[in-house]
Amino acid sequence: MAGLMVSEFAQSERLRERARRLIPGGAHTYAKGDDQYPVLAPGFIERGEGCRVWDVDGNEFIEFGMGNRTVGLGHAFPPVLEAAMAAMKGGSNFVRPARIEADCAETFLRIVHGAEMVKFCKDGSDATSGAVRLARAYTGRDLVACCGDHPFFSTDDWFIGTTPMNAGVPRATRRLTLTFRYNDVASVEALFLRYPRRIAALILEPARSDEPVDGFLHRVQEICRREGTLFILDEMITGFRWHASGGQHLYGITPDLSCFGKAMGNGFSLSALAGKREFMRLGGLDHSDLPRVFLLSTTHGAETHAMAAGIATMEIYRTQPVIEHLNRQGSKLKAGMEEAAQRHGIDAFVYPVGRPCCLTYATLDRDGNPSQSFRSLLLQETIRRGILMPSLVVSYTHQDADIDYTLEAIDGALEVYARALQDGAERYLVGRPSQTVYRRFNQNGQPPRAVYARKSA
C-alpha cells in the first residue's frame, strides 16, 4: 500500500516559483491552483497509474480527484493508451476529415440513445457555449437561463458573467444570463413569467449532489416546450459516471441538446455537443431555410489519438461493469467515512455528499458553517497519510485495498479534525487555508488597499 507519511515538497516548492513566473496562477486550470490546496500539498504531479499518482518529490498518493473527474477508468489505462498510440502513429491531424471521426460519432450515438447528431471538440466550455449559440440561432432570442446551484458551465462570458469573478465581462452580456434554483420549479416558472417567450435556452446538469425530486427535470422540460425554449443538459460529470448513456438515460429524459466530456476520453481531450437533428443541422451544410450557424470549428477538435481514446473508453463502459464498480467502491467509501466521523463524534461537521460514483464532502466549523479552514485541514491531514482527495471521486481501478487504506487515513485525519473543532483549526493547519475559485479579489476576497486608493484618487 501507499503507506507514506508525506511531509516533504521541496521540488514542488522550487517548481512552483518557476511556474508562477511563467503561467498566470501557476496552473492552466483554476481548480488545480495553489489557492485550492493547503500549504502542505503536492504542487506538481509527475505521473499516474491506475488510482495512484506520484509527485515531483517522489511522494505516492492514492488519488480521489481523478483529474477533476476526467479519468473514470484510471490513469494510463492500458487499452485506452494502446488505442491512442496506435492512432497517433498514423498522424494526428489532417487537412480533411479522418475516418475515425465518423467511427467515433457512430460509437457515441450508439451509447447516447436520444441524440441524433454529434460534433466533437476539446473541452466542455466549447460544447456548452456551442449549445447556447445554437439555441439562440434557432429561437432568435438572446436570453439564457442556467442553474445557479451548479458551479460551472463554461469559461465564456455568458456564464462567467454570473459569478463574482466576472471582471472583463461586459455588463450588457451579464444581463443576458438568468439563473434559477435546482429542484425549484417555482423559480423556473418565475423566470418565464418575467421574460415570456424571450429565453432561448435553459441549461443545467441532470443532477449533482442532489437527485431530481418530484419529476423536476421533466417538469422543467415541459415548461421549456411550452415556451419554445431549448432544454439543454450538461452531462460533463454525469455522463460516463451516472450511467454509460448519461444521466438523461438514468432519469428517462431526452433533452434537445446535451454536452459530454471529461470521462468520455479517460483524460484525453475530447468533448461533445449532441442533440436532435432539427437543431444540430443548423451547424451543417444541408439546410437553406435558416442562416448558417458557426457552431464548432476547432483546429484540434478531431485529433485522431483523442478520438481513438474516446472510442476505446466508450467501448469499455459499454461492455464492462464500470458504473457498477464506481457505485460499489463509492458506497464503501461513503459508509466508511460516515462511520469514522460518528466514531469521533463529528458526523454533524464532516460527511460525504452526493451519489456514490461521484462523492464530495462537507467540512463545517464548530458553528456548523462551511469552512475553507477545516476543508484545508482535512486535505492536509489526508495528504500527510498518502491520500490526495480534493473530492471522493473513485475510478475503475480503485480496489478494495485502496478503499480500506483510504479509510484508515481518513480516520486518522478526523481525529485531528475533532481536536480542531475544540481548539480551532488554526492550531493544526500549517499556513493559510485554501479559498474558493469564484472570488472577486485574491486577498481573502477583498481588494487590496491600493485598489481602493486608486479608485478614490
Side-chain angles (χ1 to χ4, degrees):
M1 294 306 303
L4 297 175
M5 293 295 286
V6 179
S7 61
E8 295 297 326
F9 301 107
Q11 294 290 343
S12 275
E13 191 60 38
R14 283 192 285 270
L15 188 53
R16 182 179 290 115
E17 293 176 6
R18 175 183 163 206
R20 283 187 169 180
R21 289 197 306 269
L22 303 171
I23 306 164
H28 295 290
T29 306
Y30 280 108
K32 299 180 183 182
D34 284 337
D35 61 339
Q36 301 302 292
Y37 288 85
V39 171
L40 292 184
F44 296 85
I45 303 300
E46 188 72 40
R47 65 185 181 91
E49 182 179 345
C51 67
R52 293 166 184 267
V53 295
W54 289 260
D55 71 4
V56 293
D57 289 279
N59 298 310
E60 179 183 353
F61 302 91
I62 301 174
E63 190 202 334
F64 288 92
M66 302 315 295
N68 294 338
R69 302 179 180 87
T70 64
V71 182
L73 300 177
H75 297 296
F77 200 71
V80 177
L81 277 188
E82 290 162 9
M85 288 189 292
M88 198 180 302
K89 289 179 180 178
S92 63
N93 210 335
F94 312 107
V95 75
R96 295 300 308 276
R99 179 198 298 267
I100 200 170
E101 298 181 41
D103 295 341
C104 193
E106 285 181 347
T107 300
F108 178 89
L109 293 172
R110 278 199 302 268
I111 292 176
V112 181
H113 308 133
E116 297 170 331
M117 299 186 81
V118 61
K119 193 153 187 179
F120 295 113
C121 47
K122 302 307 286 183
D123 60 46
S125 293
D126 283 348
T128 55
S129 292
V132 166
R133 183 182 301 120
L134 197 58
R136 283 171 164 163
Y138 184 82
T139 62
R141 304 171 183 176
D142 293 335
L143 298 180
V144 174
C146 68
C147 183
D149 296 314
H150 295 163
F152 185 77
F153 289 103
S154 176
T155 62
D156 291 317
D157 287 359
W158 69 267
F159 170 70
I160 291 299
T162 69
T163 75
M165 203 172 169
N166 58 17
V169 180
R171 289 186 179 85
T173 300
R174 296 181 212 170
R175 289 194 287 266
L176 296 177
T177 303
L178 318 168
T179 60
F180 60 91
R181 302 300 304 274
Y182 190 75
N183 274 333
D184 186 348
V185 174
S187 71
V188 178
E189 286 280 18
L191 284 185
F192 285 97
L193 283 173
R194 186 175 180 184
Y195 303 99
R197 313 292 294 185
R198 293 180 58 193
I199 300 174
L202 180 145
I203 185 170
L204 75 165
E205 297 180 59
R208 200 167 179 92
S209 57
D210 297 324
E211 292 289 303
V213 298
D214 298 328
F216 174 71
L217 295 177
H218 294 80
R219 293 170 69 186
V220 171
Q221 185 179 49
E222 289 171 5
I223 295 169
C224 289
R225 285 175 175 168
R226 183 190 75 205
E227 298 289 333
T229 297
L230 268 62
F231 179 72
I232 304 170
L233 288 181
D234 179 347
E235 295 249 33
M236 293 298 155
I237 292 174
T238 52
F240 302 99
R241 194 161 280 278
W242 266 236
H243 190 281
S245 300
Q248 57 192 269
H249 180 86
L250 184 68
Y251 300 125
I253 190 167
T254 302
D256 296 316
L257 299 169
S258 56
C259 305
F260 287 77
K262 287 193 180 287
M264 184 169 71
N266 199 52
F268 282 85
S269 182
L270 185 67
S271 60
L273 167 58
K276 297 177 181 177
R277 188 176 306 275
E278 176 185 358
F279 311 118
M280 295 292 291
R281 71 186 183 93
L282 299 186
L285 302 174
D286 300 327
H287 69 91
S288 57
D289 51 328
L290 289 170
R292 282 161 53 84
V293 177
F294 198 89
L295 184 53
L296 287 168
S297 184
T298 55
T299 299
H300 301 287
E303 287 176 317
T304 59
H305 55 280
M307 295 272 179
I311 292 171
T313 300
M314 287 185 277
E315 286 297 329
I316 291 167
Y317 274 85
R318 191 178 66 84
T319 59
Q320 296 186 32
V322 179
I323 303 297
E324 293 84 349
H325 182 89
L326 300 183
N327 280 307
R328 182 171 59 252
Q329 300 303 75
S331 294
K332 290 179 183 177
L333 193 60
K334 180 179 182 180
M337 185 175 187
E338 289 173 338
E339 181 182 342
Q342 290 171 2
R343 190 164 54 250
H344 291 288
I346 59 173
D347 50 302
F349 300 94
V350 57
Y351 47 87
V353 176
R355 200 173 182 87
C357 62
C358 192
L359 292 169
T360 57
Y361 50 83
T363 51
L364 311 183
D365 62 19
R366 71 179 75 184
D367 297 319
N369 298 315
S371 169
Q372 288 296 123
S373 294
F374 276 92
R375 172 179 169 80
S376 300
L377 180 62
L378 182 59
L379 272 168
Q380 171 185 286
E381 294 304 311
T382 47
I383 286 169
R384 278 177 162 163
R385 292 162 175 80
I387 306 298
L388 186 57
M389 45 174 269
S391 60
L392 291 170
V393 174
V394 294
S395 76
Y396 198 34
T397 48
H398 280 90
Q399 302 304 316
D400 289 344
D402 302 310
I403 302 300
D404 291 343
Y405 181 83
T406 299
L407 290 173
E408 289 180 18
I410 289 175
D411 184 67
L414 292 184
E415 182 180 351
V416 178
Y417 198 112
R419 295 202 303 268
L421 284 171
Q422 298 297 320
D423 304 333
E426 63 278 357
R427 180 169 178 178
Y428 300 92
L429 182 63
V430 177
R432 47 89 188 133
S434 61
Q435 299 192 56
T436 59
V437 169
Y438 296 136
R439 60 188 192 278
R440 188 156 177 80
F441 297 94
N442 279 326
Q443 298 185 359
N444 300 317
Q446 297 297 324
R449 291 178 182 175
V451 172
Y452 281 128
R454 187 164 59 249
K455 284 187 175 181
S456 62

